[in-house]
Amino acid sequence: MSNLMSGARMLLECLAREGTECIFGFPGGVTLPFYDAMYEHPIRHVLVRHEENACFASQGYATVTGKVGVCCATSGPGATNLVTGLVNALMDSTPIVAITGQVATKLIGSDAFQEADTFGITRSCTKHNYLVKNLADLPQVVHEAFYIAASGRPGPVLIDVPKDVFQGQGRYSPVSAIHLPGYKVYAEGHTGQIRRAAQMIWDAQRPLVYAGGGIVASNASAELQSLVELVDLPTVCTIMGLGTLPSDHPNFISMPGMHGSYASNMGLTHTDLIIALGVRFDDRVTGRLSTFAPHAKVIHVDIDPAEIGKNRIPDLPIVGDAKRVLQKLNKLLAETDPAVAARNADARKAWWQQIRQWMEEHPLVPAVSSTEIKPQHVMLEIDRLSGGHAIVASDVGQHQMWAAQFIRFNEPRLWLNSGGLGSMGYGLPAAMGAQFARPDKLVFAVVGDGGFQMSIPELATLANYGLPVKIVVVNNGYLGMVRQWQELFYDNRLCSVELDTFPDAEKLAGAYGIKGRTIERPDELAPALREAVDEPGPYLLNVRVTQAENVYPMVPAGSAISEMVLSQPQPVAVAK
Ligand SMILES: Cc1ncc(C[n+]2csc(CCOP(=O)(O)OP(=O)(O)O)c2C)c(N)n1
């Protein structure tokens, strides 16, 4: 016979049963009963300094572990502060469960103090959401929420819990079976389609793998590696998919798209077969869609049927979990008659030669100077310390693109960034969540001076919990990415992008009881980063970099990805 307990306690029991170790949150009036129950419960609550950061931290935790992250906020302003984080999780397919408090059921709709229609507001920014009006429904809802968040295409699920539901008394019986008639996950992939995919792969002369975050979500990196090795396929990984094929793998080309490498974009432009795995043909990858991969047939594997044909109609759709589909596909490829496998060997060899030539003609070359610190140089030094094995959480902007271009990731679940929403303020809290999940790992938060100033309050969280995150501020004195666009596309009419005021890093960090310093000379960079890494606690390293450096290559918005601008255009000399 189960014990009588409060709704708040019951919620904690459900979370514990789902394997929740910690909740990132911020309390308030209607969540008081929940916090009271946490007082004596083994699940750890991590007090952040803003609800948005609780949501981002739960995503950092989820990304590095592959488990469902949990965050919590009170009603009204607490819940509305979660919204950006929820959209971020939805766009990047990150499994989290967000718990919000709601005013008591009898007050709902009365404009009660701190009442907001959280259920209505979050409907379009969650994979699914619930308002629990009866305590008896709570266990079912929580276990369903975890199932929905983690299964199929992962995403955020929100549970809105009125105060009286937290306070009510009931008996908890764990729910073991989830039965959702309207929610089906097709994981296996159609056998006939997979067979056709194998044929198309052997038929292709210029095949290319285009792999994304779906590979991370389905833990299919080993299967991806087998695929590319079985057929010796060149591979591009999206910004969400970096690390799914190790950066040091000989078949890895680079990232494609707006700031992708020349070889990646030329590969996509000239391939005759795209093997698209867990990607969504995002506009930042495709550029002008009508000119994207004009010669290619497309095999598109995705667990979300809504992704198939959304942007590019595939020749061969396969709805399924990338891991399961690749396991079956690899088996077929491995069993192929060697004569069939060799049919296009010469053409493929020529294709690889072409790709290598593109890589050699226009490699991603990091700018390094002896007089000033180039932002790319910062990434090289982080890369050297990481060796492809540190966790790096990036914020949004130019530094994000340089980090993606120049830091290697030799394992999945090391690279965290806000890819879909591009939300500034993500980097530091995501790094916090990652460090909670992986205390054994070196964790960098690579942030711009703009985005960092959105996250400064979290220095307190780092200090409180002694989280040894190494914050590297790539400080160019500008909202750099916006400045770049104003320079290139608005006649350099810089408007509201100067960040003239930035706090003294040593004093700022010191005010929170952590170490920090500012550097501006190239010879200081390597020793300062070493010092940061050697410091047992958190560290704030403010790196003053070249101010008006631009990210290249760049595909101007609306252009074909073959129309890359490879480096800063030089002013044209006009004859007098
Ligand atoms: C919340 C939010 N507001 C505005 C933007 C638009 N935006 C994209 S990049 C960027 C500049 C970021 O500046 P900084 O953090 O200094 O990084 P940098 O580009 O200089 O590396 C801005 C304002 C955004 N992505 N997110």
Side-chain angles (χ1 to χ4, degrees):
M1 182 71 181
S2 50
N3 293 333
L4 201 61
M5 62 178 81
S6 70
R9 173 75 196 208
M10 200 183 291
L11 177 52
L12 287 167
E13 293 309 316
C14 296
L15 294 177
R17 208 175 173 82
E18 292 291 346
T20 302
E21 295 156 339
C22 68
I23 303 171
F24 300 92
F26 201 86
V30 299
T31 52
L32 276 169
F34 187 45
Y35 279 77
D36 188 56
M38 270 192 257
Y39 183 78
E40 54 192 8
H41 197 278
I43 290 183
R44 186 172 192 196
H45 180 267
V46 179
L47 178 66
V48 297
R49 297 303 189 267
H50 190 287
E51 290 85 351
E52 179 179 297
N53 298 333
C55 201
F56 287 148
S58 69
Q59 289 165 55
Y61 180 96
T63 302
V64 300
T65 58
K67 290 164 53 173
V68 177
V70 179
C71 61
C72 170
T74 192
S75 65
T80 53
N81 275 348
L82 288 181
V83 166
T84 302
L86 293 170
V87 183
N88 191 70
L90 188 67
M91 291 199 73
D92 285 349
S93 309
T94 309
I96 60 162
V97 167
I99 295 157
T100 47
Q102 183 53 276
V103 300
T105 45
K106 67 175 186 312
L107 294 177
I108 290 177
S110 72
D111 293 340
F113 177 63
Q114 293 193 326
E115 181 184 2
D117 175 15
T118 304
F119 182 70
I121 291 167
T122 61
R123 184 183 289 255
S124 65
C125 48
T126 51
K127 186 174 172 188
H128 196 59
N129 65 356
Y130 297 90
L131 169 60
V132 185
K133 286 191 171 163
N134 296 305
L135 176 54
D137 298 336
L138 189 65
Q140 181 71 34
V141 164
V142 177
H143 297 305
E144 273 181 25
F146 274 79
Y147 175 71
I148 293 170
S151 59
R153 179 182 187 160
V157 179
L158 181 134
I159 309 173
D160 200 24
V161 186
K163 188 169 189 178
D164 53 318
V165 173
F166 277 134
Q167 288 169 321
Q169 295 285 315
R171 291 186 194 282
Y172 172 49
S173 313
V175 175
S176 48
I178 302 291
H179 178 59
L180 296 167
Y183 177 71
K184 290 256 178 304
V185 177
Y186 299 97
E188 291 303 312
H190 188 281
T191 314
Q193 298 287 81
I194 296 172
R195 199 171 301 121
R196 282 185 59 205
Q199 276 164 16
M200 284 172 74
I201 289 172
W202 292 126
D203 286 346
Q205 304 198 330
R206 299 184 306 282
L208 185 76
V209 173
Y210 159 35
I215 299 287
V216 183
S218 78
N219 295 313
S221 292
E223 289 76 8
L224 172 68
Q225 192 162 330
S226 302
L227 169 74
V228 307
E229 288 172 3
L230 269 167
V231 193
D232 195 17
L233 294 165
T235 302
V236 298
C237 293
T238 69
I239 198 162
M240 296 307 295
L242 292 176
T244 52
L245 189 65
S247 302
D248 287 337
H249 195 284
N251 290 51
F252 175 64
I253 304 177
S254 187
M255 174 178 83
M258 181 172 272
H259 294 296
S261 73
Y262 179 76
S264 299
N265 287 349
M266 293 304 277
L268 281 166
T269 304
H270 292 279
T271 175
D272 66 350
L273 178 70
I274 292 179
I275 304 153
L277 306 169
V279 293
R280 55 193 181 86
F281 293 85
D282 174 60
D283 57 274
R284 283 295 194 259
V285 168
T286 64
R288 189 167 62 239
L289 195 56
S290 58
T291 52
F292 176 70
H295 315 292
K297 289 188 173 164
V298 173
I299 300 170
H300 191 178
V301 179
D302 206 289
I303 197 148
D304 181 359
E307 276 305 334
I308 306 277
K310 186 180 81 180
N311 292 330
R312 168 78 177 233
I313 301 192
D315 299 85
L316 184 74
I318 301 178
V319 175
D321 177 44
K323 191 178 186 80
R324 291 294 298 130
V325 172
L326 288 181
Q327 282 167 346
K328 293 178 187 177
L329 179 61
N330 290 346
K331 187 163 183 296
L332 289 175
L333 292 169
E335 288 166 357
T336 305
D337 174 350
V340 173
R343 218 172 38 210
N344 284 311
D346 288 346
R348 282 155 197 262
K349 204 167 153 206
W351 174 232
W352 256 121
Q353 275 165 357
Q354 172 66 81
I355 289 175
R356 292 227 167 78
Q357 192 182 328
W358 284 326
M359 290 169 90
E360 280 159 26
E361 272 169 12
H362 298 292
L364 289 170
V365 185
V368 177
S369 150
S370 57
T371 51
E372 52 187 358
I373 304 178
K374 293 282 181 182
Q376 300 92 324
H377 188 184
V378 180
M379 306 310 162
L380 285 191
E381 288 300 330
I382 292 174
D383 175 69
R384 209 168 49 79
L385 288 166
S386 156
H389 296 285
I391 292 173
V392 179
S394 158
D395 210 76
V396 169
Q398 291 181 308
H399 61 282
Q400 176 189 20
M401 296 303 132
W402 285 313
Q405 289 178 340
F406 296 114
I407 302 178
R408 288 164 305 150
F409 297 98
N410 282 328
E411 302 162 39
R413 302 194 177 282
L414 295 180
W415 165 240
L416 290 74
N417 83 123
S418 171
L421 190 62
S423 181
M424 287 169 72
Y426 166 89
L428 177 53
M432 262 161 38
Q435 187 79 80
F436 261 104
R438 295 296 306 269
D440 56 313
K441 275 278 192 191
L442 174 58
V443 178
F444 289 100
V446 177
V447 297
D449 43 329
F452 173 65
Q453 292 188 74
M454 291 188 172
S455 323
I456 283 177
E458 296 308 330
L459 290 177
T461 313
L462 292 182
N464 277 174
Y465 295 92
L467 288 173
V469 171
K470 311 306 169 195
I471 305 168
V472 182
V473 183
V474 184
N475 188 337
N476 52 17
Y478 282 112
L479 295 169
M481 188 56 97
V482 182
R483 186 206 56 73
Q484 174 167 348
W485 283 59
Q486 289 182 346
E487 177 194 322
L488 298 178
F489 308 114
Y490 291 85
D491 280 341
N492 204 27
R493 286 154 56 92
L494 303 189
C495 178
S496 294
V497 288
E498 293 88 354
L499 297 174
D500 297 333
T501 308
F502 190 82
D504 178 319
E506 195 172 346
K507 285 188 187 153
L508 174 68
Y512 287 96
I514 64 182
K515 286 212 174 137
R517 96 180 242 215
T518 297
I519 56 166
E520 50 195 348
R521 291 197 327 268
D523 61 326
E524 295 175 296
L525 182 57
L529 275 166
R530 182 79 258 166
E531 180 183 312
V533 168
D534 288 344
E535 165 65 28
Y539 199 102
L540 173 63
L541 182 62
N542 178 34
V543 187
R544 292 208 173 271
V545 297
T546 307
Q547 286 204 283
E549 189 78 12
N550 288 340
V551 185
Y552 291 105
M554 180 175 192
V555 177
S559 300
I561 56 168
S562 55
E563 296 163 1
M564 280 159 281
V565 181
L566 293 169
S567 57
Q568 184 77 16
Q570 297 303 314
V572 181
V574 181
K576 294 214 172 123

